Amino acid sequence: MASKPLGRLEPVNLRNYWQDEARDFTNWLAGDENLSLLSDALSMDLELEGVEVPVGPYKADIVARDVSSDTRVVIENQLEKTNHDHLGKVLTYASGLDATIMIWIAKEFSEEHRRAFDFINEQASPNLQCYGIEIELWKIGESSPAPQFKIVSRPNEYTSEIKTDLS
């Protein structure tokens, strides 16, 4: 019996699809269908509150609400490897908007920035939660690219339960 042919997954350069982080990627991610993809990846129910939301003289990329926990969420994104600039932004926006969930989406997380989010989660969870997510685009042959969210840092549920039980 002859086997059926299978396609081969091929990575797509993020900048080939989204040239500009703010205009292209942020607006794409804020769309209902795409925010729903992120919601599914995080097991949340994210609802958009705003895009480019003022925080003093700065602007948060995306502000949402996790409907299931009635919690404000700040989403910072970048189409390159993580850097200190964006780490400072996500912390500034979360504190300025009283958001207790921070989501940082990037092409690639450096080990230092992943560890920074792990550290915050270890020390502050369940009151403050950080999610580090790498975004990838994939296609098969001539298909349209498909996004994939890869969680690289998240709150440790076991640690959060222990801290809650001790309170």
Side-chain angles (χ1 to χ4, degrees), residues 63-82:
V63 178
R65 181 159 299 281
D66 177 17
V67 176
S68 59
S69 65
D70 193 31
T71 304
R72 179 166 277 163
V73 178
V74 168
I75 303 171
E76 178 64 18
N77 59 64
Q78 66 183 116
L79 292 173
E80 302 300 332
K81 186 174 182 177
T82 56

Side-chain angles (χ1 to χ4, degrees), residues 26 39 44 51 54 59 67 72 91 102 122:
T26 298
S39 293
M44 290 183 187
V51 175
K59 291 185 180 177
V67 176
R72 179 166 277 163
L91 292 169
M102 291 182 281
E122 290 164 6

Side-chain angles (χ1 to χ4, degrees), residues 113-123 152-154:
H113 294 130
R114 184 205 52 80
R115 179 64 191 121
F117 261 28
D118 288 348
F119 176 76
I120 295 169
N121 283 324
E122 290 164 6
Q123 301 302 315
V152 297
S153 180
R154 71 177 333 142

Side-chain angles (χ1 to χ4, degrees), residues 28-77:
W28 173 85
L29 185 59
D32 289 341
E33 182 178 326
N34 306 316
L35 201 56
S36 179
L37 290 173
L38 180 60
S39 293
D40 291 346
L42 295 170
S43 299
M44 290 183 187
D45 185 10
L46 297 174
E47 184 177 273
L48 182 68
E49 285 190 356
V51 175
E52 298 296 324
V53 175
V55 181
Y58 310 106
K59 291 185 180 177
D61 291 342
I62 297 173
V63 178
R65 181 159 299 281
D66 177 17
V67 176
S68 59
S69 65
D70 193 31
T71 304
R72 179 166 277 163
V73 178
V74 168
I75 303 171
E76 178 64 18
N77 59 64

Side-chain angles (χ1 to χ4, degrees), residues 77-153:
N77 59 64
Q78 66 183 116
L79 292 173
E80 302 300 332
K81 186 174 182 177
T82 56
N83 58 39
H84 284 19
D85 178 56
H86 283 79
L87 175 59
K89 287 178 180 181
V90 73
L91 292 169
T92 300
Y93 302 151
S95 66
L97 295 169
D98 201 27
T100 56
I101 298 176
M102 291 182 281
I103 300 172
W104 185 7
I105 302 174
K107 175 183 176 182
E108 178 186 353
F109 262 74
S110 72
E111 186 60 25
E112 295 80 7
H113 294 130
R114 184 205 52 80
R115 179 64 191 121
F117 261 28
D118 288 348
F119 176 76
I120 295 169
N121 283 324
E122 290 164 6
Q123 301 302 315
S125 186
N127 300 322
L128 184 62
Q129 300 174 359
C130 297
Y131 293 85
I133 300 172
E134 291 179 342
I135 183 160
E136 302 170 332
L137 287 177
W138 295 92
K139 69 177 187 163
I140 300 174
E142 296 303 314
S143 71
S144 296
Q148 181 175 2
F149 295 110
K150 178 181 163 189
I151 302 171
V152 297
S153 180

